[in-house]
Amino acid sequence: LPADCGSDVPVQLQSVHRAPVSEAMKATAPLANGSMPMVGLGTWKAEKGVVGAAVERAIHLGYRHIDCAAVYENEKEVGNALKKCLDSGAVQRSDLWITSKLWNTMHRRDHVRQACLRTIEDLQVEYLDLYLIHFPIAMQFVDPEEHKPAGPVLDGDGRAILEKVSIRETWEAMEELVKEGLVKNIGANF
């Protein structure tokens, strides 16, 4: 492997050799502010200690879309891999498309920006290309600093405690992220 990102990839990922980027990898979908690569690397359920190397290897192989979410609890590791690839010059930030998602416990207007800033910090980027509402369900706020994982607060019957937050409130807060330049595109994952 070259000395750029991907040089310390675990053995199980090293057997994949760099191949010419296929036409499918080049396909994009136009959005309001940019074109999203239609093929991307998802980081959900990625094993801790391996997801960073997988991201590095994927970028080395030509992936340019990395799909993340705060609730996956691996954005710091993904961010370390992104930083390594960016710092090495393997890719420029403008070559990548970074998607993340707002978790259900952060739907209130005053929590949306906080959640986005945390994701940007963890991913070690200046902005997100796409920020999605993960699910259209507002759950009781959980401070991610105090509760890991940031899953729902449950009632006595084991059901998530919901909050009365409209999708409109959440959406308007996300629109502010675009105006502020923290996010280029917003959407919903439903």
Side-chain angles (χ1 to χ4, degrees):
L1 295 171
D4 64 1
C5 70
S7 59
D8 59 350
V9 172
V11 175
Q12 66 267 34
L13 297 177
Q14 289 183 14
S15 63
V16 180
H17 299 286
R18 185 179 181 106
V21 177
S22 72
E23 290 305 310
M25 294 289 280
K26 295 178 186 176
T28 62
L31 294 180
N33 296 304
S35 293
M36 179 178 71
M38 302 220 7
V39 175
L41 176 73
T43 60
W44 184 46
K45 292 194 175 185
E47 186 179 333
K48 289 187 194 290
V50 176
V51 67
V55 168
E56 289 177 40
R57 189 64 177 162
I59 290 171
H60 177 73
L61 292 170
Y63 282 79
R64 295 298 178 258
H65 182 176
I66 308 298
D67 179 74
C68 310
V71 75
Y72 301 167
E73 297 186 317
N74 59 15
E75 285 188 328
K76 284 186 180 183
E77 187 175 345
V78 170
N80 289 336
L82 292 172
K83 182 173 178 13
K84 185 174 180 182
C85 290
L86 292 166
D87 287 351
S88 74
V91 290
Q92 301 294 315
R93 174 61 183 95
S94 59
D95 297 331
L96 297 175
W97 183 277
I98 309 298
T99 298
S100 190
K101 300 169 202 78
L102 176 72
W103 185 236
N104 304 350
T105 58
M106 303 296 282
H107 279 218
R108 286 207 176 280
R109 180 180 309 280
D110 54 331
H111 296 144
V112 171
R113 185 174 188 278
Q114 170 191 350
C116 181
L117 287 173
R118 181 186 187 96
T119 284
I120 286 171
E121 179 182 327
D122 287 350
L123 292 174
Q124 301 180 52
V125 295
E126 302 81 32
Y127 62 91
L128 298 174
D129 296 283
L130 179 60
Y131 198 43
L132 301 171
I133 298 172
H134 208 135
F135 294 111
I137 302 164
M139 295 181 184
Q140 182 174 321
F141 172 72
V142 174
D143 186 338
E145 292 296 324
E146 297 176 15
H147 188 266
K148 297 284 183 178
V153 176
L154 304 177
D155 67 15
D157 294 325
R159 292 181 294 216
I161 299 174
L162 304 181
E163 286 211 358
K164 292 183 181 181
V165 180
S166 71
I167 291 293
R168 182 179 185 148
E169 177 181 334
T170 305
W171 188 260
E172 288 173 351
M174 291 180 71
E175 286 177 330
E176 291 300 316
L177 301 174
V178 175
K179 290 176 186 171
E180 198 175 337
L182 297 172
V183 172
K184 290 191 173 194
N185 299 277
I186 55 176
N189 194 43
F190 52 89

